[in-house]
Amino acid sequence: MSHDTTAINRRMNRFDGHPSVWLFGYGSLIFKADFPYLERRPASISGWTRRFWQGSHDHRGTQAAPGRVVTLVPDALAVCHGMAYLVTPEEFAHLDYREKNGYLRLATPMTFEDGSRRDGIVYIAAHDNAAYLGPASERDIARQIAGARGPSGPNSEYLLALAAALRALGKPDAHVFEIERHLADFLAAA
Ligand code: SIN
């Protein structure tokens, strides 16, 4: 599979004809909303857990030294907390481009804090995409993040902004916070 998923995502027609669509964000989409939206609400999706297992060759790393960013991996008992945005369908051109390094649009139900549910879209980079890096220890992930930087800035900035956003949401994530703890050691030693 090529790194660039834009063309595949354009063919996703699940919400065609809808005047607005809910988008669930669990990574940079929580802390960097560089698109207009009609509404924004904390939300969660079930059956997925957040992991720094996706490579970033275009935003937070390079081809020679990829960074690591989050994707979701299936986990029947897990609930992933994030931020949902109600957007008009036109926004998906920008979103597909932004998430083009291996992420595919997937239709998902999401639950808001008042218990109500809506169907919408989440971008997930599956294990069979070319940029996938897969599991590593939190310490090794932190080491890689400490040394990576790309056109969007240092990889560490992504991790720290995500950890801060999850704290602000009141939704701690042990995997993210453990990597953050190790990153502090690597940055202090540098
Ligand atoms: C997301 O934030 O929902 C997708 C992953 C990312 O762009 O960091």
Side-chain angles (χ1 to χ4, degrees):
M1 187 194 283
S2 107
H3 280 44
D4 192 339
T5 49
T6 315
I8 303 172
N9 281 327
R10 277 211 192 108
R11 292 199 289 271
M12 202 257 203
N13 57 9
R14 168 77 166 71
F15 294 97
D16 279 7
H18 290 222
S20 56
V21 183
W22 282 101
L23 166 71
F24 178 79
Y26 57 89
S28 68
L29 288 172
I30 301 182
F31 62 82
K32 188 179 173 202
D34 59 353
F35 49 88
Y37 52 86
L38 307 167
E39 213 182 316
R40 178 182 192 262
R41 297 173 74 179
S44 62
I45 62 174
S46 298
W48 297 97
T49 194
R50 180 174 17 236
R51 289 288 178 261
F52 268 89
W53 290 2
Q54 175 67 1
S56 179
H57 307 76
D58 58 345
H59 280 300
R60 298 291 181 171
T62 60
Q63 288 295 335
R68 276 187 181 252
V69 291
V70 288
T71 183
L72 294 181
V73 298
D75 179 346
L77 299 179
V79 174
C80 177
H81 294 275
M83 188 62 79
Y85 303 87
L86 186 63
V87 299
T88 58
E90 296 76 61
E91 297 316 320
F92 283 95
H94 165 68
L95 289 162
D96 287 346
Y97 183 78
R98 171 174 163 166
E99 303 296 327
K100 69 183 182 338
N101 196 26
Y103 292 84
L104 291 174
R105 293 192 213 171
L106 188 81
T108 180
M110 62 189 84
T111 306
F112 301 116
E113 295 203 310
D114 63 3
S116 62
R117 283 158 70 91
R118 291 282 183 282
D119 287 333
I121 285 176
V122 61
Y123 285 89
I124 293 180
H127 62 88
D128 59 356
N129 85 85
Y132 192 74
L133 294 175
S137 71
E138 272 85 4
R139 189 166 176 79
D140 286 346
I141 291 175
R143 185 183 295 111
Q144 184 172 352
I145 289 175
R149 113 179 349 256
S152 298
N155 201 175
S156 56
E157 194 178 81
Y158 176 106
L159 167 64
L160 296 174
L162 177 58
L166 291 170
R167 268 190 202 97
L169 269 175
K171 301 296 180 194
D173 182 314
H175 170 73
V176 175
F177 289 2
E178 178 74 2
I179 297 168
E180 185 191 36
R181 197 171 64 76
H182 288 298
L183 180 81
D185 294 343
F186 288 119
L187 295 184

